[in-house]
Structures are given as structure tokens and as C-alpha cells.
Amino acid sequence: VSEPVFKPKEKDFRLAVINRRFASIKEILPVMSSKGGVGKTLISTVLALVLKDCGYNAGLLDLDITNPSAHTALGVSINELPEEERGVKPLMVDGIEFMSVSFYTKDNPLPLRGWEIDNVIRELLAITIWSELDYLIIDTPPGLSDEALDVISYFRSPKPLVVVTPSPLAINSVRRLLQLLNDLSGLRILGIVENMANKASRSIKELADAFRTKYLGNVPIDPIIDEVIGDTNRLRNTILYAKLKEIARKHLVLTP
Ligand SMILES: Nc1ncnc2c1ncn2[C@@H]1O[C@H](COP(=O)(O)OP(=O)(O)O)[C@@H](O)[C@H]1O
Ligand SMILES: [Mg+2]
């Protein structure tokens, strides 16, 4: 059995660089879920728009390396390359700073193993020069594997926003994610958003209580959402946007 050439968490000079790169960002909010297809990408993208519209400096970083899709939600042409200047400046999209591996992979599949994905993440984090941001929203890969959880290990005090749907199939799964996040010492979970739910589920509210985190709110099924993906102006006229704005105003207020 061959050992990986690159051993994570060992003498990687990029770790110090990564630390510096994120020093100018006040709040880092990774959007996480134990299951795929629950709306992480849409919520990340629209939340970044909401925060920008509320007057904050906002950024969006896609760290779902094997399945990047935030550029599609945001309507970004990946034929452009971000500008280089002793690092890479995120692309400015509708007032939001945006970075994704898809600028480099051009939507081709990236058949990488776990440690290789980690390597791509480190590279992306090390090269990107963010401005002074109030909020950086991170779209993350789904699941409970190392790959899904390692993503948050690079940041000082990330506050995960957990996305779940009301399906009974999702409840046990999200409990496992909350358990894993809870076990990380000092980590504060920002809260839970229940997506594609026309009303709040008692079981999810109870779960939030059990893990001493907040039930941030429910986002109803929005029948037009797939038609407006990629058009930031039309995304602003959705129920999803209105709901996330309500959540942001209530739970995401940065004091200067
Ligand atoms: N509130 C919603 N109403 C209707 N459809 C939604 C809603 N949220 C997400 N979807 C749909 O669910 C699918 C998965 O969303 P996506 O953001 O890609 O999830 P993830 O990133 O968690 O895999 C998409 O087709 C999207 O249009
Ligand atoms: Mg996604």
C-alpha cells in the first residue's frame, strides 16, 4: 500500500499564508449539510447577495471542489480568469467577491482523491487575496466525511450554518453532523436553516435546542427558483431571498 506523497497537517508552508489571507475577514460562515441537494449552494449564493444588499462587504467562496456550482447560481462566466497580482484577486460579481476552482477546471470533472482535494483547497485558500470583508460565505461539499469536515479546519472561528430539509430521512443525518461539529472544541454553530419547508418542523427545532444552537428559520419551496438561477437580479425577487434577508436581519448583525 503506497502512502500519499502529500501528508496533510505536516509542515505545509501554505498554512501560515492561509492564516494571513483570512485575517482581514470578520465573519466566516461555512454553509454545511450532511446530505447533498438540500440547497447549500443556493442558500450560500443568495445569502451573499443579501448581506451585500444590507450594506456589508461580502464574499462567496466555493469549496465544493468536486462539484462546484456557485458560479452557475451566481451566473458567472468561468471563461474569465481572476486577475493575478502576487496572488489572485477574487472576481467581483454584482458587488460580491467570488472565488471558485471552476475558473481553473472550466467545469471539467476533477477526479481527485481525498488528500488531493485537500491539496486543491489549500492552494485555493493560499492564493486568494480577499479584501476587508464583513462576511465570507463558504459553499461546502456535503457529507460527514473528512473531506466535508476538513474544509472548516483552516479558519480561526468559523460559524457553520447548517442546512437541512424536513424529510425524516434527513433528521438523523443532520443530528450526526451536529454531533461532529459539537465535538470540535470551541466551535459555535451559527444555527440551522430548514430549506424547502413550508412550515417549521418541531423535530428540527428540538434538534437545534438539543445542540444549544438556533433554529434560524424555514425557507418554503420556491417554484420559480430554477428559472432564475444565474440571474442575480431575479434571485433578489424570490421567496428564498426574502426569507434569508429576514434571517440575516435577525441573526447576522455585525457591530462595528
Ligand atoms: N427553497 C427552495 N425551493 C425550491 N427548490 C429549491 C429550494 N432550495 C433548493 N432548491 C432546489 O434544490 C436543488 C439543490 O439545490 P443546491 O443548492 O444545488 O443544493 P446543494 O448545494 O445542497 O447540493 C436545486 O435544483 C434547487 O433548485
Ligand atoms: Mg452544492
Side-chain angles (χ1 to χ4, degrees), residues 74-86:
L74 207 52
V76 173
S77 160
I78 49 173
N79 294 322
E80 284 187 67
L81 263 187
E83 196 185 323
E84 290 189 30
E85 192 191 293
R86 301 165 84 190

Side-chain angles (χ1 to χ4, degrees), residues 174-232:
V174 75
R175 182 183 290 116
R176 286 190 280 266
L177 174 62
L178 292 167
Q179 188 68 59
L180 286 168
L181 292 175
N182 217 35
D183 290 346
L184 301 173
S185 66
L187 186 86
R188 203 190 111 204
I189 301 170
L190 181 74
I192 303 174
V193 170
E194 186 180 1
N195 191 21
M196 299 189 248
N198 294 325
K199 60 178 177 51
S201 304
R202 193 155 56 116
S203 51
I204 296 175
K205 284 186 147 174
E206 284 170 1
L207 210 53
D209 286 342
F211 284 92
R212 289 180 304 279
T213 185
K214 287 183 218 156
Y215 179 92
L216 299 171
N218 65 296
V219 178
I221 292 177
D222 192 335
I224 66 145
I225 205 82
D226 282 325
E227 288 167 39
V228 302
I229 282 174
D231 182 336
T232 49

Side-chain angles (χ1 to χ4, degrees), residues 40-41 64 67 69 139:
K40 279 180 303 306
T41 297
D64 190 349
N67 236 335
S69 54
D139 190 11

Side-chain angles (χ1 to χ4, degrees), residues 12-58:
D12 185 342
F13 69 92
R14 289 173 299 187
L15 295 177
V17 179
I18 291 171
N19 244 322
R20 281 208 308 278
R21 293 288 193 219
F22 288 90
S24 63
I25 301 176
K26 288 191 191 133
E27 292 274 25
I28 294 181
L29 309 182
V31 176
M32 305 182 77
S33 77
S34 49
K35 290 169 88 74
V38 298
K40 279 180 303 306
T41 297
L42 262 174
I43 288 179
S44 308
T45 306
V46 175
L47 185 58
L49 286 172
V50 162
L51 290 168
K52 188 249 162 190
D53 296 346
C54 288
Y56 293 113
N57 294 323

Side-chain angles (χ1 to χ4, degrees), residues 105-237:
T105 59
K106 303 295 176 205
D107 270 346
N108 291 308
L110 201 58
L112 301 178
R113 312 280 289 265
W115 65 271
E116 295 169 314
I117 294 169
D118 196 38
N119 207 1
V120 173
I121 290 178
R122 285 174 189 223
E123 200 62 32
L124 207 58
L125 299 183
I127 62 172
T128 310
I129 311 168
W130 301 95
S131 307
E132 303 225 335
L133 295 180
D134 297 307
Y135 291 100
L136 179 66
I137 310 298
I138 303 182
D139 190 11
T140 72
L144 301 165
S145 62
D146 282 356
E147 188 194 321
L149 289 165
D150 277 355
V151 159
I152 60 169
S153 67
Y154 296 106
F155 312 108
R156 262 172 301 113
S157 24
K159 298 198 182 98
L161 186 159
V162 172
V163 183
V164 65
T165 58
S167 162
L169 297 174
I171 309 287
N172 273 331
S173 171
V174 75
R175 182 183 290 116
R176 286 190 280 266
L177 174 62
L178 292 167
Q179 188 68 59
L180 286 168
L181 292 175
N182 217 35
D183 290 346
L184 301 173
S185 66
L187 186 86
R188 203 190 111 204
I189 301 170
L190 181 74
I192 303 174
V193 170
E194 186 180 1
N195 191 21
M196 299 189 248
N198 294 325
K199 60 178 177 51
S201 304
R202 193 155 56 116
S203 51
I204 296 175
K205 284 186 147 174
E206 284 170 1
L207 210 53
D209 286 342
F211 284 92
R212 289 180 304 279
T213 185
K214 287 183 218 156
Y215 179 92
L216 299 171
N218 65 296
V219 178
I221 292 177
D222 192 335
I224 66 145
I225 205 82
D226 282 325
E227 288 167 39
V228 302
I229 282 174
D231 182 336
T232 49
N233 284 326
R234 292 184 72 197
L235 275 171
R236 285 182 165 98
N237 284 316

